[in-house]
Amino acid sequence: MSGLPSSGGRLATVAGAVLLGGQSSRMGRDKAHLEWQGETLVSRQATLMSALFEEVILVGGDPPAGVPGRRVADPVGEASALRGIVAALEAAEAPWVAVMATDLPALTADMVLALVGLTGMEVDAAVPRTRGPEPLCAVYRRETVLPAARRRWERGEFALKHLLGDLDVVWLEGED
């Protein structure tokens, strides 16, 4: 990661995007405002992203006051994780975007930086894969992924596995 420009210890070439949206249909309440270890999930994610990246984007939802980052609304259309990814990629100024769901309370800086470290390869995305791919805990190359995500969005193909199938992905495997 030594080749990544930074300012004040934070990376300038990667934006951190926290997806606040989600219908929480199984839970029945907004996940972003749930508390975990004394802070809301969205605050936890946004604080982690702001410690790592100069640019932090809060996509969709309504974050509590004082949460670091720039708020960006979801595009109009059917609710889906793809919609949040499109919004994050459209809003970002950095060439890479670390897209994280708000409901990943155990996410660590080491995990995010491991994904960022994989972006030095000529790939479109760095995605963890345990029991399956985790596209809402991934780093995406804005230039190539945004057009692919928009195409899927416009065709009404919202499944993220299809988007990943369009991309050159490097996987962070298993317990790594």
Side-chain angles (χ1 to χ4, degrees), residues 38-77:
E39 65 184 328
T40 63
L41 292 179
V42 66
S43 178
R44 182 173 178 78
Q45 293 298 71
T47 300
L48 174 63
M49 294 296 107
S50 68
L52 299 174
F53 309 118
E54 287 184 12
E55 181 182 10
V56 177
I57 304 163
L58 305 172
V59 180
D62 187 24
V67 173
R70 174 171 47 98
R71 189 182 182 293
V72 172
D74 280 321
V76 174

Side-chain angles (χ1 to χ4, degrees), residues 1 108-119 126 139 172 176:
M1 288 203 356
T108 65
D110 287 343
M111 173 67 167
V112 177
L113 292 174
L115 290 167
V116 170
L118 292 174
T119 63
V139 180
L172 183 61
D176 292 342

Side-chain angles (χ1 to χ4, degrees), residues 150-161:
R150 280 183 181 147
R151 279 192 300 275
R152 289 283 178 188
W153 175 257
E154 290 165 2
R155 293 193 302 237
E157 299 169 351
F158 304 123
L160 295 181
K161 66 181 179 181

Side-chain angles (χ1 to χ4, degrees), residues 26-173:
R26 290 179 301 206
M27 184 174 289
R29 54 193 270 212
D30 180 10
K31 290 183 267 188
H33 288 83
L34 288 177
E35 286 201 15
W36 192 73
Q37 296 186 348
E39 65 184 328
T40 63
L41 292 179
V42 66
S43 178
R44 182 173 178 78
Q45 293 298 71
T47 300
L48 174 63
M49 294 296 107
S50 68
L52 299 174
F53 309 118
E54 287 184 12
E55 181 182 10
V56 177
I57 304 163
L58 305 172
V59 180
D62 187 24
V67 173
R70 174 171 47 98
R71 189 182 182 293
V72 172
D74 280 321
V76 174
E78 186 169 334
S80 70
L82 181 62
R83 178 174 79 164
I85 290 174
V86 168
L89 294 172
E90 285 178 342
E93 295 177 19
W96 290 91
V97 183
V99 174
M100 304 295 155
T102 195
D103 60 349
L104 300 171
L107 186 66
T108 65
D110 287 343
M111 173 67 167
V112 177
L113 292 174
L115 290 167
V116 170
L118 292 174
T119 63
M121 303 177 190
E122 289 299 315
V123 298
D124 298 318
V127 182
R129 181 167 54 189
T130 52
R131 292 177 291 260
E134 301 291 344
L136 296 181
C137 177
V139 180
Y140 296 101
R141 182 188 303 265
R142 186 178 180 279
E143 177 183 37
T144 56
V145 178
L146 181 55
R150 280 183 181 147
R151 279 192 300 275
R152 289 283 178 188
W153 175 257
E154 290 165 2
R155 293 193 302 237
E157 299 169 351
F158 304 123
L160 295 181
K161 66 181 179 181
H162 299 305
L163 174 62
L164 292 179
D166 295 341
L167 307 176
D168 184 11
V169 176
V170 61
W171 302 101
L172 183 61
E173 296 284 354

